[in-house]
Amino acid sequence: MPSVLVVEDDQFVRSALIRHLTDASHTVRSVGTALEALREVAHFRFDVVILDLGLPDLDGSEALKMLRGITDVPVIIATARDDEAEIVRLLNDGADDYLTKPFSVEHLSARMAAVLRRSRATADDPPSRVMRVGGLAIDVLRRQAELDGTRLDLTRREFDLLAFLAGRPGVVVGRKELLAEVWQQSYGEDQTIDVHLSWLRRKLGETAARPRYLHTLRGVGVKLEPPAPLTPAPGPGVHEPLS
């Protein structure tokens, strides 16, 4: 029975969420402040946290950063804010998903189910060898990745995306497949994939214009492959043939 922490200061919304989640056979605890949420997470194990941003004591975005300092529990942001830049920042700070208020209970259920599936799949991953693609080493069991021996600081979603592509080196993976396998969603915004690819490229020391590992085929998908070997410059006395 999944355990959910609801962090919401609006009593009406909070009661509605508790009622819906309880009816769906979830174990629910709820609090109305960020500090109470931190105490709950420190003392109890939850399968998912639903976090409002407009909390009375601390903005939810700051609470998210503090939560990520003590736990990797999946966090779904519930917010009335629809600013694209802020949503991108929240995902970058460790949110697993977000919902813009008002939302239906069916929409919340679908997002929670997807997050819980991803979380369980990660927990159930059997021991496996480290995947290597060029200078990349991805340990799925320990959820660690290195580039040329240096540990990469990846978010949960960045790691999932990298590991999925590394398991299919050189294979072009379409956006629908990425949404289904990495995000566990049958639909979604292309921007979500683009944003995470951009963050991942930055941490791999590359750009879309000058890729090394991640190569995008416009309108088709993306693939991960080792960098092409550098061609040595001709030595003294060696001339390129004329065309």
Side-chain angles (χ1 to χ4, degrees):
M1 184 180 296
S3 175
V4 183
L5 175 64
V6 173
V7 187
E8 170 65 64
D9 68 318
D10 186 307
Q11 191 58 50
F12 177 79
V13 175
R14 187 169 161 185
S15 297
L17 287 174
I18 293 171
R19 183 172 60 254
H20 164 68
L21 294 170
T22 302
D23 290 345
S25 299
H26 296 299
T27 300
V28 185
R29 293 179 67 90
S30 68
V31 293
T33 69
L35 293 181
E36 287 176 315
L38 293 168
R39 281 196 292 267
E40 287 287 308
V41 169
H43 289 91
F44 300 97
R45 182 187 178 279
F46 295 98
D47 295 298
V48 64
V49 174
I50 300 173
L51 177 64
D52 177 39
L53 294 183
L55 300 174
D57 60 335
L58 189 66
D59 189 79
S61 60
E62 294 301 316
L64 173 65
K65 294 177 184 178
M66 297 175 73
L67 283 170
R68 278 290 164 259
I70 60 176
T71 179
D72 62 353
V73 62
V75 176
I76 298 176
I77 299 294
T79 176
R81 307 172 193 174
D82 58 0
D83 179 69
E84 181 179 308
E86 182 166 24
I87 290 171
V88 168
R89 179 170 56 81
L90 289 166
L91 291 170
N92 197 27
D93 286 342
D96 292 82
D97 208 341
Y98 68 90
L99 283 169
T100 303
K101 296 177 180 177
F103 51 80
S104 67
V105 292
E106 291 78 15
H107 196 172
L108 172 62
S109 294
R111 293 297 184 94
M112 281 187 57
V115 166
L116 289 169
R117 281 197 302 271
R118 289 195 298 270
S119 180
R120 288 167 183 157
T122 298
D124 293 341
D125 277 338
S128 61
R129 63 182 177 82
V130 175
M131 295 185 291
R132 298 186 185 277
V133 180
L136 278 169
I138 299 99
D139 188 328
V140 176
L141 182 62
R142 294 183 175 84
R143 295 188 63 80
Q144 295 177 0
E146 294 182 352
L147 176 60
D148 298 327
T150 300
R151 176 86 170 269
L152 294 173
D153 182 18
L154 303 178
T155 65
R156 175 196 295 269
R157 195 62 56 78
E158 289 167 356
F159 181 88
D160 290 343
L161 178 58
L162 179 63
F164 183 78
L165 293 172
R168 299 151 184 78
V171 176
V172 179
V173 182
R175 292 173 177 270
K176 288 186 178 179
E177 185 176 357
L178 288 175
L179 280 172
E181 299 297 332
V182 178
W183 276 263
Q184 297 291 312
Q185 295 178 14
S186 58
Y187 64 92
E189 299 291 337
D190 283 356
Q191 182 193 39
T192 299
I193 298 175
D194 292 337
V195 166
H196 283 84
L197 283 172
S198 176
W199 294 334
L200 194 51
R201 281 195 176 99
R202 190 182 311 153
K203 293 178 181 180
L204 294 177
E206 61 182 69
T207 64
R210 302 187 65 179
R212 295 182 65 237
Y213 285 92
L214 290 168
H215 299 264
T216 300
L217 279 72
R218 187 176 298 276
V220 182
V222 63
K223 65 179 177 178
L224 178 77
E225 61 183 11
L230 295 175
T231 303
V238 177
H239 301 282
E240 293 291 335
L242 298 175
S243 56

